[in-house]
Amino acid sequence: MAEIPRTHGFDCTAALLKEGYTFISRRCEAFQSDIFETRLALRRAYCIRGPEAAQVFYEGGHFSREGAMPPTTLRLLQDKGSVQSLEGEAHLNRKKLFMSLMSPEGIARVGDLFEDAWRERMAGWGRADSVVLHPEAQAILCRAGLQWLGIPHTSGDLRDWTRDLAAMIENAGRMSPRVLGALIQRQRAELRGRRLIEDVRAGRLQSLPEGALQRLADHRDLDGQLLDPSIASVELLNLLRPLVAVARYITFIAASLHEQHAARPQLDSRDAASVERWVQEVRRFYPFFPLIGGRATRPVRFKGHLLPRSSWVLLDLYGTNRDPRTWDAPEAFRPDRFIDWEPSLYNFIPQGAGDHFTTHRCPGEMITVEVMRRAVRLLTMGMRYEVPPQDLSIPLDQMPTLPRSGFIMRRVQGSAA
């Protein structure tokens, strides 16, 4: 059996921070291997990519999320006790709560709330000299999320929620003093969430019986007990924060509509299938999650290699979505590739792999796609705008990343088209 390739040097943390999204795939190409061993933050790590890697990582309960992410990343994105940190029956029980909110009706409701919030906020864009789309989209999505959950809010509350949730997302992959500020904002948001849960349970806040906030307040874990208010607050943020993160995809949509001239003839905004293909190519082509980590709960065999129990393994999401063995001309933006695409649970993984109900795949993925569909139509048929000269380059050494300008628009006008 061939040995697992190893990187040179004592530690590759600096290289990961410098190369960002491309760190794993570059080395897989260089080694001509879907696995290699390295050292990150002074810890041995195994990096893997490709559909087979995704299947091994997500199926069979081979990996736990415990101890698999830097503590600050865990704290900002998920926190201890959240659904993503659970395993086995406890995870499945909590996951049912999230998936119960992802019915076709529930997904459509989030889409409607997003579209209503967009149109209301857009009314003020025409009075501004220019508008930066990304922070505007964050506020729009935050408002839609608060309404979906049934959380009453003032304009000041909306600013606070948006600011705190955005800080969690922006700093999840950073190593800088700004992380401390984001952790403080996280604590502040958790405190607000805890008070909401306590108010619903005490009857001080009336919530819709089938609303997300009420379901969260009423949920019981395997022991039959209501969630501790602090854990319920964590899960409340795990509903709101990923929705606000979709602002990045909306910004990528705007950038793609402006820059991908060769592909624009492929988009018919009145045709649902055409919009769907554009959305999926944005999710494949543009960088969202770079990678995800896990700890092996038992010895795991992959590509003829046996990874020991407790191995730290990093799955390359970005590289798998650009794997030339799966995707023809992966560096080209081609929505029509999805016309004859043969999907699996493992070959297209911008938000994780596997089955939504039984694995750690992001439960909000279907809401993400619905919001993106609406954004395509709003940007192409619901408004007119100019795109001034700006820097739309996407730095791959920032995780998560974004076009540098955030996508600036000017002379925005609503359209009835």
Side-chain angles (χ1 to χ4, degrees), residues 96-357:
K96 286 179 182 178
L97 166 65
F98 282 80
M99 295 309 299
S100 72
L101 301 171
M102 307 301 160
S103 66
E105 297 77 16
I107 294 169
R109 172 164 166 72
V110 176
D112 290 342
L113 291 170
F114 163 73
E115 195 164 337
D116 290 344
W118 179 292
R119 294 187 185 281
E120 181 171 324
R121 197 162 182 100
M122 184 175 63
W125 293 348
R127 297 189 294 271
D129 292 336
S130 63
V131 173
V132 182
L133 179 59
H134 180 249
E136 291 292 312
Q138 288 181 314
I140 289 167
L141 287 160
C142 187
R143 178 180 173 182
L146 293 173
Q147 291 176 317
W148 173 48
L149 282 163
I151 297 175
H153 57 278
T154 65
S155 59
D157 294 331
L158 177 60
R159 284 194 299 270
D160 290 343
W161 277 111
T162 304
R163 183 186 62 242
D164 293 346
L165 293 165
M168 298 175 208
I169 299 162
E170 300 279 349
N171 294 285
R174 294 182 185 271
M175 296 179 65
S176 76
R178 292 175 56 182
V179 173
L180 178 59
L183 289 170
I184 293 172
Q185 290 176 267
R186 167 89 195 198
Q187 290 180 329
R188 186 164 55 204
E190 284 188 7
L191 179 59
R192 286 199 301 270
R194 180 184 179 116
R195 288 171 177 165
L196 285 166
I197 295 295
E198 291 173 340
D199 285 348
V200 170
R201 289 177 178 172
R204 293 187 294 268
L205 174 61
Q206 296 299 317
S207 183
L208 295 175
E210 294 302 312
L213 179 60
Q214 187 68 53
R215 291 193 193 185
L216 187 56
D218 292 343
H219 181 73
R220 296 177 184 271
D221 268 348
L222 290 177
D223 58 6
Q225 299 297 312
L226 292 172
L227 295 180
D228 182 277
S230 61
I231 297 298
S233 176
V234 165
E235 300 296 29
L236 185 152
L237 296 185
N238 284 334
L239 289 167
L240 275 177
R241 187 200 63 260
L243 184 58
V244 172
V246 178
R248 278 178 154 69
Y249 270 144
I250 292 173
T251 309
F252 287 138
I253 287 172
S256 71
L257 294 170
H258 177 65
E259 292 189 317
Q260 303 296 343
H261 305 292
R264 275 304 298 266
Q266 301 176 23
L267 175 62
D268 178 357
S269 298
R270 292 176 172 83
D271 177 60
S274 177
V275 171
E276 181 78 11
R277 291 193 294 270
W278 193 276
V279 164
Q280 299 296 19
E281 182 67 347
V282 167
R283 297 177 70 224
R284 185 201 70 82
F285 182 83
Y286 288 93
F288 196 57
F289 291 142
L291 52 85
I292 191 161
R295 280 280 189 183
T297 58
R298 68 197 76 170
V300 178
R301 188 169 296 278
F302 175 64
K303 294 283 187 177
H305 304 289
L306 190 65
L307 305 183
R309 182 179 179 275
S310 298
S311 295
W312 184 29
V313 177
L314 302 175
L315 171 65
D316 184 6
L317 302 180
Y318 177 77
T320 299
N321 289 332
R322 287 167 170 256
D323 189 335
R325 296 166 301 179
T326 301
W327 307 96
D328 182 45
E331 299 303 317
F333 186 88
R334 289 170 34 188
D336 279 5
R337 71 173 74 246
F338 285 94
I339 292 177
D340 300 317
W341 176 55
E342 296 184 6
S344 79
L345 296 176
Y346 315 104
N347 62 359
F348 180 45
I349 57 171
Q351 291 174 261
D355 178 74
H356 287 95
F357 287 89

